[in-house]
């Protein structure tokens, strides 16, 4: 853990020390970051003393290491330098896991502050322990029976004990906890299952295709530990619900469980104040001795709980995530007995299933009456050793907000820290929250343990407005008993305010995957995923099957500066061969998931794509740089394909994954060190609330509006540039476009094939099957197609609009091609002449010479099918004498702008395209070095602005900026640039903003694609 991270975590822990009500109530952190608290950890051995002895004041632990609380046993030994850096090389794979796969004792001491009054109730609370725990204090066992073990079967289960009868007010107090690891997968190579059978736990702790096996499988005290002080009556799990009559009127419902721990009946005053709005309420309650009672307060009793013009909580992009705070008290005879601060948000989730083109249901989300297009990513873990604390969650959530995401899915409920949800509330990031189940052929060890954790999870988190859905299992359905139980607790304890959904990828969802890199065009043309093998198979295609996708991902190389942090120098180059990537187990690349362990990410295909699209590299620096442009293109293409199909089928997409838990080459946008890869920028561009984009399949330019406001009188502008930076106005377009809230609209279609006489012309067919109309053969799209009935003697013809000279007809067949067909022409559409009789059709792309000077109509007559299906054609192109524009270089650039009615830029987008040899971008390696100037502006309030101008005569492609500390040259991470990896045409300039920059002096470094990095500016930020 870095020094800054430790300081931030210490600050957060000290915030847990709170004093309220004139010193009557306190809460003290017992986390290891409290300077007065030291935890010690040691293994339980055959001859270890009992917990009764260990928890006495005179006992001293021998050969113990300092514990990390919250944290895990293994991390304590990492921090103590007892094991080598597990991030680096294959170190973690060399650790003797058997040392950690056994019970461990935790021990600490504390003294009560003098302000604690005799007679107060004193509560010792553990927010999370994993996997089993037994608790002792001052020689007394708190949990279970005297002889029992594994008393608390926890993962996300709060454990709380009233200990006022045990504590000393003037002497040292001792707490001891025996943590026992999971029973499963005791060695790396053990054949037994982990995952579901060990649930509830962190299901990836015994390794996945993105993190290694962790010795101990993340056993430890994994949540905050605290002491709190109350009177006789406490409030348990207070809950502030909201319902919307309309967006102008909200109803609030307050409930809490009151618990009287005394031997006397109590008259209790429950009172609350909600801010903003200064909403006040109170209720008198009689509580018998040693009893509990659920108390409810609503608008029928307190009119002020009707809130007019409420400040609503909105997800990122759709509005502000407004939050309220309720200060809730229980008082006895004018003395405060307990007090809670409960943040909450006023919002209302709704859900609909809408039928797609194939008649299958697609789940759609609504909030506050507004339909929401989901854009986000999955988390597999916060950090593979659970070393993510407090403010670091804010860092990660802010990065998601910066990528314009509005949802995070917690895969298998992988995060158990309240701080994660707090920051999602604050930044408007909705949470898809799984429970701890995934597709497997085994069952949980104990249904009751699972249920107890699930119930506590719902009660603990239900005040968070960010939680948008509870999900039972990853890629499967829970068994009926657990499924029914989960459904019931969401109904009873969360009032069905959020949907409970059994499966993460079925029942109104469109599956998971694919997970290998594919070029953008593929995603526009094919929605395919793993449910293709379901029975019945899910219907995929270019016009269906996108739906709501909860996983899709790709390998993602980090930048070189990160790779050298975790890879040994001697292993940096060359890259593994294809055979090594496929078969090697012990290759260090494979240990960081570029190889066999991450075969789902298609590492061979990824390496091939980088090398073929951008050219072979002779060093890792060059390969990593080229990989970032693959990352940009692939990631942007994934999200933009879903944008393109919005509400026609698609309702959202969650990337697998957006968060990096371990230094690796897969499943990430920013990397483990928070350095933004090209994938980060691809996602950020594609997910911006107001966005303009180009469809690589059909050249459609669309404006995307994922906000709650209509976009009116905007202008969509396209500029096309040659490789040397010359603008070709004849390929550009500029048209007005209006887009309703949370929707998309096509502005126009570009035509990069102006000599195709059939482009955009009317087409007519003898029959149409599955809704695939005749017009689809002239739309310029590689993925859409006409499909006939499944009979021979079907035809389709194109009206060119006027009589023209025709020399060539190009037919692009789908797999259902014609074994025999004729090409015919006509001047009037009535009398037809056969100009080519094809007796042995080959399918694919077929070129037919015509040499017919005067014709208006071109017809293809399918006489005999090559498959049992109808004839199917992607495109029919018709050419005269010319077919190629010599002025447009094969490799060229497309720049898009979306401007408002006042000419302000709302969105910019940039693409590189090869019109002759698809995906060949190797000519970029021949661009000359650029002449850029960098000028520091003093206009930014929370950071810095830099004016960057291309003063040269050539294209400045691929400009990457990064920031390092002036004195140490260490990277500044994360750093929020407004743009990066950008391209500037000759004489073009751009302002780049650096936000949230800390105080200090920094060097701005610039690297043009293919050239050495240069220092360009010194940036200073005052405190």
């Amino acid at each position: 853990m870095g020094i800054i991270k430790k300081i931030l975590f210490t600050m957060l822990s000290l915030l847990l020390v709170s004093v309220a009500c004139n010193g009557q109530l306190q809460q003290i952190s017992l986390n290891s970051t409290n300077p007065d608290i030291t935890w010690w950890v040691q293994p339980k051995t055959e001859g270890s003393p009992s917990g009764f002895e260990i928890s006495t004041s005179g006992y001293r632990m021998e050969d113990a290491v300092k514990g990390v609380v919250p944290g895990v046993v293994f991390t304590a030994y990492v921090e103590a330098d007892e094991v080598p850096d597990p991030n680096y090389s294959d170190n973690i794979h060399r650790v003797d896991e058997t040392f950690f796969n056994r019970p461990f004792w935790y021990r600490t001491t504390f003294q009560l502050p003098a302000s604690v009054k005799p007679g107060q109730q004193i509560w010792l609370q553990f927010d999370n322990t994993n996997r089993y725990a037994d608790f002792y204090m001052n020689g007394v066992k708190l949990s279970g029976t005297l002889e029992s073990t594994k008393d608390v079967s926890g993962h996300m289960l709060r454990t709380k004990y009233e200990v006022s009868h045990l504590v000393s007010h003037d002497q040292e107090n001792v707490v001891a906890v025996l943590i026992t690891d999971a029973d499963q997968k005791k060695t790396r190579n053990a054949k037994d299952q982990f995952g579901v059978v060990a649930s509830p736990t962190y299901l990836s702790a015994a390794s996945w295709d993105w993190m290694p096996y962790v010795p101990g499988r993340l056993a430890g005290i994994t949540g905050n530990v605290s002491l709190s002080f109350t009177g006789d009556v406490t409030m348990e799990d207070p809950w502030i619900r909201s319902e919307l009559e309309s967006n102008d009127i909200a109803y609030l419902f307050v409930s809490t469980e009151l618990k009287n721990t005394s031997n006397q009946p109590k008259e209790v005053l429950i009172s609350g104040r909600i801010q903003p709005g200064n909403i006040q309420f109170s209720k008198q309650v009689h509580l018998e001795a040693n009893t509990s009672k659920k108390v409810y307060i609503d608008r029928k009793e307190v009119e002020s709980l009707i809130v007019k013009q409420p400040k609503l909580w909105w997800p990122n992009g759709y509005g502000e995530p407004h939050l309220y705070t309720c200060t809730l008290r229980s008082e006895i005879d004018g003395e405060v007995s307990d007090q809670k601060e409960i943040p909450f948000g006023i919002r209302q989730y709704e859900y609909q299933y809408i039928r797609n083109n194939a008649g299958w249901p697609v789940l759609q989300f609504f909030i506050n009456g507004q339909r929401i297009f989901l854009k986000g990513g999955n988390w597999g873990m916060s950090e593979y050793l659970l070393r993510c604390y407090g403010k670091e969650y804010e860092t990660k959530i802010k990065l998601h907000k910066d990528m314009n995401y509005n949802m995070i899915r917690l895969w298998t409920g992988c995060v158990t820290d309240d701080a994660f949800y707090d920051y999602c509330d604050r930044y408007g990031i909705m949470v898809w929250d799984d429970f701890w189940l995934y597709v497997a052929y085994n069952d949980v060890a104990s249904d009751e343990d699972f249920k107890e954790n699930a119930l506590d999870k719902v009660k603990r988190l239900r005040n968070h407005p960010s939680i948008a859905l509870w999900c039972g299992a990853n890629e499967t359905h829970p068994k009926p008993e657990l499924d029914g139980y989960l459904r019931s607790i969401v109904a009873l304890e969360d009032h069905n305010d959020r949907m409970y959904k059994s499966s993460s990828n079925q029942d109104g969802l469109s599956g998971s995957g694919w997970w290998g890199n594919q070029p953008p065009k593929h995603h526009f043309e094919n929605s395919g995923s793993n449910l293709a093998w379901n029975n019945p198979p899910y219907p995929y295609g270019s016009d269906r099957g996108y739906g709501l996708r909860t996983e899709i991902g790709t390998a993602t190389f980090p930048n070189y500066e990160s790779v050298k942090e975790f890879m040994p120098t001697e292993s940096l180059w060359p890259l593994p061969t294809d055979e090594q990537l496929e078969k090697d187990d012990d290759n260090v690349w494979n240990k960081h998931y570029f190889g066999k362990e991450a075969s789902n990410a298609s590492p061979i295909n990824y390496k091939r794509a980088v090398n073929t699209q951008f050219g072979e590299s002779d060093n890792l620096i060059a390969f990593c740089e080229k990989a970032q442009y693959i990352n940009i293109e692939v990631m942007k293409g994934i999200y933009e394909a879903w944008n393109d199909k919005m509400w026609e089928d698609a309702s959202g997409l969650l990337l697998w994954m957006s968060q990096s838990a371990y230094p690796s080459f897969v499943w990430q946008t920013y990397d483990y060190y928070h350095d933004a890869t090209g994938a980060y920028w691809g996602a950020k561009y594609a997910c911006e609330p107001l966005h303009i984009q180009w469809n690589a399949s059909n050249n459609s330019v669309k404006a995307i509006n994922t906000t709650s406001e209509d976009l009116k009188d905007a202008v969509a502008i396209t500029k096309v540039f040659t490789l040397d930076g010359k603008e070709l106005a004849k390929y550009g377009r500029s048209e007005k476009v209006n887009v309703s809230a949370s929707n998309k609209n096509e502005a126009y279609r570009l035509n990069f094939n102006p000599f195709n006489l059939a482009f955009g012309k009317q087409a007519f067919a003898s029959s149409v099957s599955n809704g695939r109309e005749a017009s689809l053969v002239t739309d310029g799209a590689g993925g859409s197609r006409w499909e006939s009935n499944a009979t021979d003697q079907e035809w389709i013809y194109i009206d060119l609009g006027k009589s023209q000279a025709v020399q060539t007809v190009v037919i692009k067949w789908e797999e259902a091609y014609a074994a025999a067909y004729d090409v015919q022409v006509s001047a009037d559409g009535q009398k037809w002449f056969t100009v080519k009789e094809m007796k042995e059709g080959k399918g694919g792309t077929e070129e037919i010479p015509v040499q017919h000077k005067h014709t208006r109509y071109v017809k293809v007559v399918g006489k005999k099918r090559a498959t049992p299906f109808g004839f199917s054609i992607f495109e029919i192109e018709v050419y005269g004498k010319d077919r190629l524009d010599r002025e447009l270089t094969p490799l060229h650039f497309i720049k898009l702008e979306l401007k408002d009615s006042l000419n302000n830029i709302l969105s910019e987008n940039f693409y590189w395209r090869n019109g002759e040899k698809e995906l060949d971008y190797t000519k970029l390696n021949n661009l000359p070095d650029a002449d850029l100037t960098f000028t520091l502006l003093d206009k930014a309030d929370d950071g810095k602005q830099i004016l960057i101008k291309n003063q040269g005569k050539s294209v400045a492609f691929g400009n990457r900026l990064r920031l390092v500390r002036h004195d140490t040259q260490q990277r500044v991470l994360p750093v929020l640039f407004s743009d990066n990896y950008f391209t500037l045409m000759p004489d073009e300039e751009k302002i780049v903003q650096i936000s949230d920059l800390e105080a200090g002096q920094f060097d701005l470094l610039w690297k043009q694609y293919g050239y050495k990095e240069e220092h360009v500016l010194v940036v200073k930020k005052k405190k």
Side-chain angles (χ1 to χ4, degrees):
M1 191 191 307
I3 184 65
I4 293 177
K5 188 187 298 184
K6 286 185 177 180
I7 292 171
L8 291 173
F9 186 40
T10 300
M11 292 172 62
L12 177 77
S13 295
L14 292 177
L15 286 175
L16 288 175
V17 183
S18 59
V19 180
C21 309
N22 300 316
Q24 292 176 350
L25 302 175
Q26 298 183 52
Q27 186 179 59
I28 298 174
S29 169
L30 297 186
N31 290 347
S32 56
T33 47
N34 182 337
D36 296 327
I37 299 296
T38 301
W39 285 91
W40 294 96
V41 175
Q42 71 174 186
K44 179 181 183 295
T45 61
E46 193 72 32
S48 289
S50 70
F52 302 100
E53 182 178 349
I54 293 173
S55 64
T56 57
S57 181
Y59 182 80
R60 293 291 178 267
M61 277 187 162
E62 301 293 336
D63 299 322
V65 300
K66 282 189 177 182
V68 180
V69 174
V72 300
V73 170
F74 182 67
T75 299
Y77 283 81
V78 172
E79 292 288 309
D81 293 325
E82 294 291 327
V83 294
D85 180 5
N87 292 351
Y88 186 74
S89 187
D90 59 352
N91 285 349
I92 194 169
H93 298 271
R94 298 178 180 274
V95 174
D96 177 10
E97 71 271 26
T98 61
F99 176 83
F100 296 96
N101 293 343
R102 55 178 169 168
F104 275 77
W105 282 107
Y106 280 75
R107 185 182 188 274
T108 193
T109 62
F110 68 89
Q111 289 190 316
L112 289 182
S115 57
V116 177
K117 297 179 179 180
Q120 281 188 301
Q121 303 295 310
I122 302 175
W123 301 90
L124 174 64
Q125 177 162 318
F126 295 79
D127 284 352
N128 304 314
T129 49
N130 190 53
R131 172 65 179 85
Y132 303 97
D134 305 321
F135 298 93
Y136 296 80
M137 182 177 177
N138 290 349
V140 176
K141 192 167 187 236
L142 302 176
S143 60
T145 65
L146 294 178
E147 303 297 329
S148 63
T149 60
K150 297 184 179 179
D151 295 333
V152 175
S153 179
H155 171 54
M156 197 170 185
L157 180 65
R158 294 166 295 177
T159 306
K160 185 175 180 180
Y161 299 101
E162 205 288 307
V163 294
S164 58
H165 59 294
L166 295 177
V167 298
S168 169
H169 283 255
D170 54 7
Q171 300 291 324
E172 178 182 78
N173 294 281
V174 183
V175 175
V177 183
L178 180 63
I179 293 293
T180 302
D181 59 316
D183 297 324
Q184 298 77 21
K185 203 78 173 175
K186 288 286 192 176
T187 62
R188 289 187 184 90
N189 299 319
K191 300 302 181 183
D192 61 322
Q193 297 292 318
F194 187 70
V196 173
V197 69
S199 181
T201 190
Y202 303 100
L203 299 190
S204 57
S207 84
W208 214 270
D209 66 354
W210 43 272
M211 68 170 274
Y213 181 101
V214 178
R217 284 93 75 244
L218 299 177
I221 300 175
T222 52
N224 293 318
V225 184
S226 62
L227 281 175
S228 58
F229 308 89
T230 72
D232 289 335
V233 175
T234 59
M235 299 178 294
E236 307 295 330
D237 298 318
W239 181 18
I240 316 297
R241 283 192 61 243
S242 63
E243 290 182 1
L244 291 181
E245 188 72 61
S246 71
N247 285 3
D248 296 324
I249 299 176
Y251 305 138
L252 300 183
F253 303 82
V254 180
S255 65
T256 186
E257 183 178 353
L258 285 183
K259 185 176 182 180
N260 182 4
T261 58
S262 75
N263 294 322
Q264 301 294 324
K266 299 292 181 181
E267 297 298 326
V268 184
L269 177 67
I270 297 294
S271 64
R273 184 190 302 268
I274 295 173
Q275 300 286 12
N278 198 33
I279 301 167
Q280 299 183 50
F281 57 89
S282 63
K283 184 174 183 175
Q284 197 75 31
V285 179
H286 177 79
L287 201 58
E288 292 292 338
N290 296 308
T291 61
S292 297
K293 179 186 290 188
K294 196 73 171 283
V295 178
Y296 301 89
I297 308 173
D298 61 22
R299 70 183 190 275
K300 295 177 182 179
E301 295 177 273
V302 181
E303 188 176 343
S304 62
L305 294 180
I306 302 173
V307 183
K308 296 179 179 179
Q309 303 300 321
K311 295 180 178 294
L312 301 180
W313 189 91
W314 289 96
N316 185 31
Y318 284 89
E320 293 299 316
H322 294 291
L323 292 173
Y324 288 79
T325 299
C326 176
T327 302
L328 195 64
R329 291 180 177 180
S330 63
E331 296 180 48
I332 304 171
D333 298 329
E335 291 287 327
V336 177
S337 181
D338 196 5
Q339 178 170 302
K340 308 283 188 184
E341 299 284 336
I342 308 122
F344 68 98
I346 298 177
R347 80 286 171 266
Q348 186 160 308
Y349 288 104
E350 296 174 285
Y351 314 86
Q352 292 183 17
Y353 288 94
I354 307 298
R355 300 284 173 179
N356 67 7
N357 289 339
W360 285 54
V362 174
L363 178 60
Q364 296 184 4
F365 278 64
F366 294 74
I367 187 167
N368 307 332
Q370 173 65 61
R371 185 163 57 170
I372 302 294
F373 190 72
L374 302 186
K375 303 172 293 183
N378 285 259
W379 282 30
M381 288 285 287
S382 60
E383 199 270 347
Y384 76 113
L385 300 183
L386 299 188
R387 294 179 293 186
C388 181
Y389 311 108
K391 292 284 286 185
E392 187 170 345
Y393 279 111
E394 182 176 25
T395 297
K396 295 176 186 293
I397 301 305
K398 284 176 71 174
L399 289 172
H400 282 67
K401 177 180 170 64
D402 187 60
M403 283 190 286
N404 300 302
Y405 282 175
N406 57 31
M407 177 172 276
I408 291 171
R409 176 183 168 223
L410 294 183
W411 174 83
T412 67
C414 59
V415 175
T416 55
D417 296 325
D418 297 82
F420 167 83
Y421 298 90
D422 292 338
Y423 288 115
C424 286
D425 291 346
R426 183 182 302 182
Y427 289 103
I429 304 297
M430 296 180 290
V431 179
W432 175 302
D433 209 342
D434 286 7
F435 290 95
W436 316 282
L437 298 170
Y438 69 85
V439 59
Y441 301 102
N442 46 44
D443 195 5
V444 297
S446 167
D447 285 4
E448 296 311 309
D449 291 350
F450 184 94
K451 290 176 181 180
E452 187 178 13
N453 279 259
L455 176 61
D456 202 47
K457 173 173 179 167
V458 173
K459 287 183 175 182
R460 177 175 174 176
L461 300 177
R462 61 191 174 187
N463 282 302
H464 290 282
S466 56
I467 296 177
L469 182 141
W470 305 103
C471 185
N474 175 64
E475 298 181 343
T476 188
H477 298 80
K479 68 179 184 179
E481 181 179 348
L482 292 184
D483 195 30
Y485 179 78
L486 293 173
R487 193 176 301 279
S488 70
I489 62 173
V490 169
L492 293 172
E493 300 296 345
D494 197 33
H495 207 270
N496 281 329
D497 288 344
R498 275 67 68 104
M499 171 183 276
Y500 169 76
K501 200 169 187 316
S502 298
S503 172
S504 73
N505 71 341
Q506 301 173 51
D507 312 322
L509 307 175
S510 63
S512 305
W514 297 124
W515 294 276
N517 62 291
Q518 295 287 351
K521 185 178 178 181
H522 167 88
H523 294 292
F524 284 104
E525 296 178 354
N526 191 331
S527 63
S529 184
N530 67 337
L531 295 187
W533 288 283
N534 265 28
N535 185 18
Y538 193 87
Y540 295 111
S542 63
D543 65 341
R544 64 197 66 198
Y546 290 85
L548 180 48
R549 186 69 54 85
T550 52
E551 290 186 29
I552 188 171
T554 174
T556 308
F557 247 66
N559 287 298
Y560 173 75
E561 295 82 15
S562 289
V563 175
K564 67 180 184 179
E565 293 274 346
F566 62 86
M567 290 287 288
T569 302
E570 64 273 14
S571 301
L572 289 178
W573 195 259
L575 296 178
T577 65
D578 288 358
E579 184 176 6
Q580 288 173 320
L581 290 174
E582 181 183 3
K583 298 178 180 179
D584 274 14
D585 288 310
D586 294 328
N587 188 306
V588 70
W589 289 87
N590 185 45
K591 300 302 183 185
H592 289 272
Y593 301 98
F594 193 66
K596 180 180 177 181
E597 290 296 323
S599 58
N600 264 355
S602 303
I604 295 173
N605 185 53
Y606 185 89
K607 184 180 76 167
R608 183 183 301 121
V610 175
N611 288 336
T612 57
Q613 294 180 34
F614 290 89
E616 296 274 353
S617 301
D618 59 9
N619 62 80
L620 186 61
I621 296 175
F623 184 88
C624 286
E625 179 178 45
K626 292 170 183 176
Q628 301 318 310
Y629 295 90
I630 286 283
N631 293 344
I632 291 172
E633 189 177 48
V634 170
M635 192 61 61
K636 189 165 65 167
I638 290 172
Y639 282 105
E640 289 187 338
W642 261 256
N643 289 345
D644 185 76
K645 318 292 183 180
M646 186 191 301
W647 312 134
E648 294 174 7
D649 180 69
S651 63
L653 180 142
L654 304 179
L655 180 71
W656 181 260
M657 292 184 289
S658 57
Q659 144 71 12
S660 178
Y662 175 73
S664 79
F665 298 95
V666 292
W667 321 136
Q668 56 196 345
T669 53
Y670 54 83
D671 65 26
Y672 179 77
Y673 309 97
H674 297 139
D675 192 9
T677 72
Y680 181 99
W681 291 98
K684 178 180 170 71
Y685 298 144
C687 294
E688 58 186 345
L690 294 174
H691 179 62
I692 187 168
Q693 65 180 54
W694 166 67
N695 182 324
S697 174
N698 65 10
N699 294 313
S700 169
V701 173
K702 289 182 178 176
I704 311 298
N705 177 10
T706 49
T707 77
S708 57
E709 301 290 335
D710 294 342
L711 178 64
K712 298 179 179 179
D713 298 325
V715 180
I717 302 167
T718 298
K719 296 179 181 180
V720 176
F721 298 87
T722 63
L723 187 60
D724 56 6
K726 179 183 178 182
E727 183 180 355
L728 299 181
K730 61 185 175 183
Y731 290 99
R733 293 282 298 272
S734 179
E735 300 287 350
K736 282 190 175 182
V737 62
N738 297 313
V739 192
S740 58
S742 203
N743 218 318
K744 54 96 170 57
N745 196 13
E746 182 176 89
Y748 43 76
R749 295 200 178 193
L750 302 177
N751 185 6
F752 289 103
N753 193 2
F755 301 111
N756 174 17
L757 305 177
F759 177 77
K761 299 301 192 299
Q762 285 187 299
F764 306 86
S766 56
S767 66
V768 170
S769 181
N770 295 319
R772 295 188 169 100
E773 303 289 341
S775 60
L776 298 177
V777 301
T778 62
D779 65 355
S784 60
R785 57 191 173 93
W786 164 68
E787 182 180 344
S788 77
N789 291 338
T791 57
D792 294 333
Q793 299 300 322
E794 298 283 348
W795 50 259
I796 184 170
Y797 75 83
I798 299 166
D799 180 358
L800 301 179
K802 62 181 180 180
S803 182
Q804 302 190 61
V806 174
Q807 291 191 359
T808 308
V809 175
V810 177
I811 307 172
K812 297 181 178 179
W813 296 97
E814 196 251 353
E815 292 180 2
Y817 66 96
Y821 64 94
D822 292 343
V823 177
Q824 300 177 344
V825 297
S826 172
D828 58 7
Q830 301 297 319
K831 189 174 182 180
W832 296 92
F833 299 92
T834 299
V835 294
K836 186 69 174 181
E837 184 179 4
M838 296 291 290
K839 296 182 178 180
E840 295 183 358
K842 303 297 183 183
T845 298
E846 295 186 294
E847 293 197 11
I848 313 300
V850 175
Q851 299 294 340
H852 201 89
K853 290 187 177 180
H854 300 288
T855 191
R856 175 172 170 172
Y857 301 92
V858 177
K859 188 176 190 179
V860 177
V861 180
K863 297 194 293 187
K864 182 180 180 181
R865 291 167 295 141
T867 72
F869 305 101
F871 300 102
S872 184
I873 299 175
F874 287 119
E875 288 289 302
I876 298 176
E877 298 171 353
V878 179
Y879 295 97
K881 180 180 179 181
D882 297 317
R883 289 189 62 178
L884 191 62
D885 183 358
R886 301 295 176 185
E887 191 177 15
L888 182 64
T889 53
L891 179 58
H892 46 266
F893 305 107
I894 305 167
K895 182 179 180 180
L896 305 181
E897 292 178 338
L898 184 66
K899 294 185 175 182
D900 66 14
S901 59
L902 299 177
N903 207 39
N904 299 307
I905 292 180
L906 304 173
S907 171
E908 292 181 294
N909 210 339
F910 188 83
Y911 303 86
W912 44 96
R913 174 183 184 270
N914 195 318
E916 291 186 10
K917 190 176 181 183
E918 194 170 8
L919 303 179
D920 182 359
Y921 310 127
T922 54
K923 292 293 185 182
L924 295 171
N925 299 318
N926 301 330
L927 287 173
D929 56 339
D931 181 12
L932 300 191
T933 61
F934 297 80
T935 305
L936 193 62
L937 305 178
D938 293 322
K939 297 180 181 179
D941 294 330
D942 65 339
K944 293 292 181 179
Q945 287 185 339
I946 301 161
L947 175 65
I948 306 167
K949 184 172 183 180
N950 182 2
Q951 296 194 135
K953 301 300 181 183
S954 60
V955 175
F957 175 83
N959 299 285
R960 181 196 174 202
L961 305 177
R962 67 187 188 99
L963 214 58
V964 298
R965 302 186 186 281
H966 182 73
D967 52 353
T968 65
Q969 293 299 292
Q970 290 184 331
R971 293 185 291 171
V972 177
L973 295 175
V975 57
L976 295 180
F977 289 110
S978 61
D979 202 356
N980 218 336
Y981 297 95
F982 53 86
T983 296
L984 294 176
M985 294 297 144
D987 294 321
E988 185 181 4
E989 63 183 29
K990 173 184 287 289
I991 292 177
V992 173
Q993 169 104 9
I994 309 175
S995 300
D996 292 348
L997 188 60
E998 62 186 72
Q1001 186 168 325
F1002 312 96
D1003 292 345
L1004 181 70
L1005 307 181
W1006 160 58
K1007 189 179 188 311
Q1008 180 192 355
Y1009 177 81
Y1011 290 90
K1012 289 185 177 181
E1013 189 173 58
E1014 300 179 26
H1015 173 278
V1016 291
L1017 276 180
V1018 173
V1019 179
K1020 297 180 180 179
K1021 177 71 183 299
K1022 297 179 180 179
K1023 291 184 180 179

